[in-house]
Structure formats: structure tokens, C-alpha cells
Amino acid sequence: MYILNDISGKVINIDGINITILVENTGLGLEIFASPNLVAVARGNETISAWIHHHITDVSQVLFGFATIDERNLFKNLIKVSGIGGKTALNMLGLGGEALMNAIQTEDDKLLATIPGIGKKTAQKIIVDLKGSINFAKNPSTSEKTPAAPDTPLVSSLVSMGYEKSRVEAIVATLDDSLPLAEKVKLAIKNLS
């Protein structure tokens, strides 16, 4: 069995969270469901690197792609929670790794319940199952990449949750830059709702 860890190749199509990558030196095109951070850095006809998780169930096989190995590892922990599927876990990554882990560690079920596909009971289950068992490395070589614009991850995360990009950008522009990311997410969602 061949296991994919990371791939590099040219982005040949971007459709929401679906990215098709022509893998270098193979001629093989792979369609992946991408994390918000990977979507934020993907550009058509440009080369990209992605960390891959090959998710196999009784009824399907799906590839999920991530900007960093830490994102992938966090995703793998999230899908271990009963009731959390791959797409819901990608929505959760839209908060950003540190904000998501902070919400779990501080038992902020209200913030988790704002994520599409997560209700209050599921948020509480996530906290019970994962609190204290995950951490996000601070190693610069593996931590989340920060795109050029400081709020790009926030904007792309909210857009991946289904909000209209122009509205998101307008609301994010009004937020105080000194606020922690988790607080920015809460305020943005409140204003968007």
C-alpha cells in the first residue's frame, strides 16, 4: 500500500475547497479537499506543496490537503471524535490551529458551536475527547504559514464557512488588530449573522 505524506505540483483547478493538483513528474492529477490555509495560498497554474491525509471509510476514499503537517495532525485528532467527519473537521480548522486548540483547552463550547456542522453537544464532546491531548507545535518550520495580509487566514476561514467574501472582508477590516484571533472570529461571526 502506498501512503501519501506530502505532494508538490501545479494547481490546475480550484473550486471552493476542492483543489486539483497535477503532481510533479507523474502526470497524475489529484483532487483534494483543502484546508482553509491551503486554499488561501493556492493559485491557479502555480506550484504548491501540500500535506496529505488519505481518508478511507467503508464507502469512500478521499484525499484531504493541508498547508502544514501540524494542520494535518490536528485534523487527524479531530476526525477521531465520534460524529466529526472530514468536511466538518476542515470547517473547524477555519478557526486557525491555535484558536481552535485554545477553544478546546479553555472549554469554549460557544465558539466551537459557531462552526457549521457543530452543535453545543458536539462541541462539548470535542472538548471532553481532546482537551489536554493535543498541542500545536511552535516550530517555525512546521507551524502555520502566515500569508502576506495579516487577516487572510481569518477571511479565508470565514469564507470557507459559507460567508460572502466581500462582506467578510468589510467586517474584518473594522476589527481591532490587537484582539486575539479567537475574539476576532467571534466578533466577525456575530456581525455576519
Side-chain angles (χ1 to χ4, degrees):
M1 174 186 212
Y2 179 72
I3 298 175
L4 293 172
N5 281 319
D6 67 302
I7 60 169
S8 292
K10 184 192 285 189
V11 175
I12 56 175
N13 187 44
I14 302 172
D15 183 15
I17 64 168
N18 294 332
I19 297 178
T20 305
I21 299 174
L22 182 61
V23 181
E24 288 181 340
N25 304 318
T26 67
L28 176 66
L30 295 178
E31 182 179 56
I32 61 173
F33 289 105
S35 71
N37 282 334
L38 188 58
V39 171
V41 298
R43 302 286 179 267
N45 294 318
E46 290 187 11
T47 299
I48 192 171
S49 291
W51 288 91
I52 299 296
H53 171 70
H54 186 188
H55 190 66
I56 302 171
T57 66
D58 293 339
V59 295
S60 70
Q61 292 189 38
V62 180
L63 296 175
F64 291 94
F66 308 92
T68 67
I69 193 169
D70 282 337
E71 257 193 342
R72 183 182 69 177
N73 292 340
L74 184 52
F75 173 87
K76 288 166 119 177
N77 280 299
L78 293 171
I79 61 174
K80 288 179 187 174
V81 177
S82 176
I84 301 296
K87 290 182 183 176
T88 301
L90 284 182
N91 285 340
M92 294 177 72
L93 290 176
L95 287 179
E98 289 186 41
L100 178 57
M101 289 193 349
N102 185 52
I104 292 168
Q105 299 304 338
T106 62
E107 301 182 14
D108 190 350
D109 60 344
K110 290 179 183 167
L111 176 60
L112 294 175
T114 63
I115 300 167
I118 305 289
K120 187 169 178 69
K121 286 185 180 180
T122 304
Q124 291 169 344
K125 180 161 183 43
I126 292 164
I127 291 166
V128 168
D129 286 1
L130 298 179
K131 184 177 180 185
S133 67
I134 57 174
N135 66 17
F136 209 69
K138 297 294 183 188
N139 181 337
S141 65
T142 60
S143 62
E144 290 184 74
K145 295 176 184 173
T146 305
D151 287 313
T152 300
L154 178 58
V155 170
S156 64
S157 297
L158 293 167
V159 169
S160 74
M161 291 180 188
Y163 296 107
E164 185 181 323
K165 186 174 183 179
S166 59
R167 282 190 64 218
V168 169
E169 288 174 336
I171 288 171
V172 168
T174 66
L175 298 176
D176 182 352
D177 285 339
S178 66
L179 291 173
L181 180 59
E183 191 61 31
K184 286 183 181 181
V185 170
K186 284 182 190 177
L187 289 171
I189 290 173
K190 181 179 178 185
N191 289 326
L192 287 162
S193 299

